Amino acid sequence: MEAHNGLSARIVEGAGFQGIWASGLAISAAMGVRDNNEASWTQVLDVLEFMSDATSIPILLDGDTGYGNFNNARRLVKKLEQRQIAGVCIEDKLFPKTNSFINGEAQPLADIDEFCGKIKAMKDTQQDEDFTVVARVEALIAGWGLDEALERAEAYRQAGADAILIHSKKVNIAEIEDFMKAWNGRHPVIVVPTKYYTTPAQRFHELGISTVIWANHNLRASIEAMQRITQKIFCEKSLIDVESRVATIDEVFLLQQADELQTAEEKYLPCSGKLTGDRP
Ligand code: SPV
Ligand code: MG
């Protein structure tokens, strides 16, 4: 499930999800910039650090193209491991990338050998054997067809990717079904059903898909909620009809784990009475 900052990451964990998708679209949108690598990779790392500190479940970073060539990508792995990020997904496009749903056909794909070198460099760099590198195939998005998608997925599997993310912008699951049938269970597959959202989860199970990413729904939920409340307060210049429609302040404190600080203060701070009492 998507998260884009410490708060949303904590909400995802609280709901019971087993993993977090640190979405490039959502993180950049939350910063008020486009999904075109306008936020620098170290700015993304800073956000991830808050997400990692706030949670204990695995975080998979949407690492775009790896922010450069193999050298940038392997340095990314080193920095992610230092922040206890569980894995990273890289996509076979060119830096600076554009979101797959914006004019996908016009976007050039990476050279297969160059992308395989990037995957190998990342796998060679990881220190933790559980760190995961996911290779995202954009051939269907770019309109290059099923054969190209299969060739790329197989090359990335052989290069050492731990899973393949096959992306589609079709409103039905047909091309994902075709891919899964031809792929025939060779390696774990991840999907992102943002556009084919009407597909029941059971169908993903039947096709043998390992992981489903709900990629941007916390971002979109928050946009809708913020626009509604901001507009209401602007129009009414009053909070009378607003209070019951927003989270309570106590809920904010709960998500910040304010109670932990109170307990720690009792343990570590000298009580003020004792301080003054000790003085002659
Ligand atoms: C993201 O969440 O940033 C993704 C998925 O990469 S998508 O927006 O569908 O390309
Ligand atoms: Mg992305």
Side-chain angles (χ1 to χ4, degrees):
M1 178 68 191
E2 170 260 320
H4 51 272
N5 55 23
L7 179 73
S8 53
R10 202 165 259 165
I11 288 171
V12 169
E13 179 167 16
F17 279 98
Q18 292 175 1
I20 294 171
W21 171 244
S23 156
L25 172 65
I27 291 173
S28 56
M31 287 175 170
V33 297
R34 289 168 286 223
D35 189 12
N36 291 69
N37 298 121
E38 290 185 343
S40 74
W41 73 279
T42 54
Q43 288 173 321
V44 172
L45 270 187
D46 285 345
V47 173
L48 280 173
E49 195 166 272
F50 281 102
M51 292 171 67
S52 180
D53 286 347
T55 55
S56 58
I57 55 173
I59 298 175
L60 179 66
L61 169 66
D62 171 10
D64 293 341
T65 59
Y67 310 112
N69 72 1
F70 80 91
N71 190 38
N72 306 92
R74 68 179 175 172
R75 185 161 167 78
L76 173 67
V77 169
K78 181 176 171 189
K79 294 291 147 189
L80 292 177
E81 284 198 325
Q82 287 170 355
R83 286 161 181 77
Q84 286 90 48
I85 303 300
V88 59
C89 174
I90 56 162
E91 62 198 58
D92 55 358
K93 294 202 299 228
L94 303 185
F95 179 92
K97 52 65 61 83
T98 300
N99 187 273
S100 301
F101 300 140
I102 299 178
N103 209 3
E105 271 90 1
Q107 298 183 35
L109 297 186
D111 172 77
I112 295 181
D113 291 337
E114 192 266 341
F115 197 72
C116 286
K118 206 180 259 187
I119 294 166
K120 283 182 193 149
M122 294 167 83
K123 291 304 292 176
D124 285 346
T125 299
Q126 73 185 65
Q127 300 287 307
D128 180 345
E129 62 176 356
D130 289 334
F131 188 87
T132 299
V133 174
V134 176
R136 167 166 157 181
V137 176
E138 289 280 292
L140 301 179
I141 295 283
W144 289 28
L146 180 62
D147 289 345
E148 179 76 24
L150 287 163
E151 183 190 339
R152 285 175 174 266
E154 178 59 19
Y156 305 159
R157 183 185 76 80
Q158 287 185 21
D162 297 293
I164 301 298
L165 190 159
I166 182 73
H167 205 11
S168 167
K169 60 181 177 180
K170 291 268 157 58
V171 295
N172 62 57
I173 198 181
E175 64 181 7
I176 296 288
E177 282 175 345
D178 291 345
F179 178 90
M180 291 307 294
K181 280 171 195 156
W183 186 246
N184 200 21
R186 259 175 272 175
H187 213 42
V189 173
I190 300 173
V191 295
V192 185
T194 301
K195 293 287 181 182
Y196 46 100
Y197 62 87
T198 55
T199 309
Q202 179 58 27
R203 187 72 192 120
F204 302 127
H205 283 293
E206 288 162 5
L207 290 170
I209 288 163
S210 307
T211 302
V212 176
I213 295 176
W214 285 283
N216 45 48
H217 299 81
N218 273 322
L219 173 83
R220 289 162 65 190
S222 65
I223 289 173
E224 201 269 334
M226 288 191 286
Q227 285 174 332
R228 191 164 24 86
I229 289 299
T230 298
Q231 194 60 39
K232 194 169 175 56
I233 295 174
F234 180 77
C235 290
E236 297 175 6
K237 305 286 186 290
S238 164
L239 299 178
I240 292 171
D241 208 17
V242 165
E243 185 61 22
S244 62
R245 295 167 196 243
V246 293
T248 63
I249 293 289
D250 281 344
E251 181 66 24
V252 178
F253 295 152
L254 200 67
L255 284 163
Q256 289 175 307
Q257 297 180 346
D259 55 341
E260 190 279 335
L261 181 55
Q262 273 181 5
T263 310
E265 282 173 350
E266 279 159 27
K267 187 171 174 190
Y268 299 118
L269 279 182
C271 72
S272 53
K274 196 164 165 239
L275 258 185
T276 45
D278 285 349
R279 287 200 184 118

